[in-house]
Amino acid sequence: MNSLSSEFSSLQSNALTSLGHERLFNIAFVFTVETGFIPTSLAEHFFSTDSNIELAKMVNSQPLNSFWHKNHNIFNAELVMSNQLCYLTGVPNDDSLIITLNYSNISKCIYFEIDRSISSISTEHVFHLYLKYKNLVSVPIKCAILEITVGQYPGLCGIPEELISYIMTKLNTSDLYALMRCCKKMYHSVINNQFLWKTLAIENHKKAKLSTDLIQQPIMDWRIVYYEINRIKSGRRTNTIIRE
């Protein structure tokens, strides 16, 4: 998965090696951990100052099925978020698994369907499943916990960077500039997103019907190319770039 670190990509690959309902539960488990939920067996060894990458390394050091147990075909895992206990449960339903994440009296669920071709599932399909799971399950529970333990919902900086990147693709240029002015984190999230600037540059290039040489040369920084295309379109002699 391009949006995740190599550590979480490795975890996801491990999840896909299992079969049937276990595979579906492992996928949901990895998505939940990537959101910041910590398996209770690792809680004593993982500190709030550690990064999610460190957590992924800890999980990667053990088999995924060592973090959950199966009882009468029902999958269960205990995790903590901000020292609050949560339960991830998978209940089989024919060819699907009903995945539920519970905290106190709050629960969110989603259906994961068994797909015979899931072993060769595309990166794009996994990414969309990942976004759907986070939007509907893990992030809402995370927000509910933080509202109680911290006293407020996390702001834009509190949501996963993958969702921020997805939001960026839906914004026009003026909105992106406004986002860059929000804070340093958003500023660097925008200017360092080469996929975003490449998409914008190619779209503008097509609209302007410019020479293909501009985008076919080896390119290190698509943001510079985007500004150059805008300069050519507008007829300006110089480029105005928002500096880091």
Side-chain angles (χ1 to χ4, degrees):
M1 197 182 301
N2 294 335
S3 63
L4 296 182
S5 68
S6 59
E7 287 79 9
F8 277 104
S9 294
S10 177
L11 271 180
Q12 192 59 65
S13 296
N14 291 340
L16 292 172
T17 61
S18 50
L19 300 174
H21 290 113
E22 180 178 336
R23 175 186 291 169
L24 299 179
F25 188 77
N26 276 337
I27 292 172
F29 177 80
V30 172
F31 287 168
T32 307
V33 170
E34 200 282 330
T35 310
F37 290 81
I38 305 166
T40 53
S41 60
L42 297 179
E44 292 183 359
H45 310 286
F46 184 82
F47 303 97
S48 59
T49 54
D50 293 332
S51 67
N52 272 14
I53 292 178
E54 291 302 316
L55 176 58
K57 289 178 179 178
M58 290 183 184
V59 176
N60 248 328
S61 66
Q62 303 177 42
L64 282 177
N65 59 11
S66 67
F67 295 102
W68 51 265
H69 65 273
K70 183 179 178 183
N71 186 19
H72 299 296
N73 213 30
I74 296 177
F75 303 83
N76 289 286
E78 290 187 352
L79 306 103
V80 293
M81 162 66 68
S82 192
N83 295 320
Q84 303 298 305
L85 187 62
C86 308
Y87 299 93
L88 183 69
T89 305
V91 179
N93 181 31
D94 297 327
D95 288 337
S96 66
L97 192 67
I98 304 173
I99 302 291
T100 305
L101 185 59
N102 295 285
Y103 163 66
S104 186
N105 61 342
I106 304 170
S107 66
K108 299 291 181 181
C109 67
I110 189 174
Y111 281 85
F112 274 16
E113 294 182 352
I114 293 178
D115 187 342
R116 292 180 180 178
S117 65
I118 199 168
S119 60
S120 59
I121 192 170
S122 69
T123 299
E124 182 180 2
H125 183 76
V126 174
F127 181 62
H128 285 301
L129 184 63
Y130 169 78
L131 287 177
K132 183 178 180 181
Y133 181 83
K134 281 202 165 186
N135 280 321
L136 298 179
V137 180
S138 60
V139 170
I141 295 293
K142 179 178 182 178
C143 289
I145 293 172
L146 294 180
E147 182 187 24
I148 294 172
T149 58
V150 180
Q152 60 182 7
Y153 285 104
L156 183 61
C157 293
I159 69 175
E161 291 189 8
E162 297 76 25
L163 292 179
I164 295 176
S165 295
Y166 181 76
I167 291 171
M168 288 179 189
T169 63
K170 304 300 180 182
L171 302 179
N172 57 38
T173 307
S174 60
D175 289 336
L176 280 174
Y177 291 153
L179 183 62
M180 291 171 71
R181 292 192 292 269
C182 286
C183 64
K184 287 184 178 180
K185 179 177 180 179
M186 290 299 103
Y187 175 80
H188 289 291
S189 293
V190 174
I191 66 169
N192 293 327
N193 192 326
Q194 286 296 305
F195 175 78
L196 173 67
W197 292 110
K198 180 179 180 179
T199 301
L200 291 172
I202 292 176
E203 286 180 356
N204 271 11
H205 183 273
K206 289 179 179 179
K207 292 178 181 178
K209 299 180 179 179
L210 302 176
S211 169
T212 56
D213 293 340
L214 190 60
I215 61 173
Q216 286 184 343
Q217 58 183 313
I219 294 171
M220 298 298 294
D221 192 339
W222 279 96
R223 185 168 59 104
I224 302 299
V225 175
Y226 170 77
Y227 287 129
E228 178 64 16
I229 291 173
N230 278 355
R231 182 191 67 79
I232 295 173
K233 282 174 59 180
S234 65
R236 293 194 306 269
R237 291 186 178 182
T238 59
N239 239 334
T240 302
I241 300 178
I242 298 179
R243 297 294 180 186
E244 299 183 27

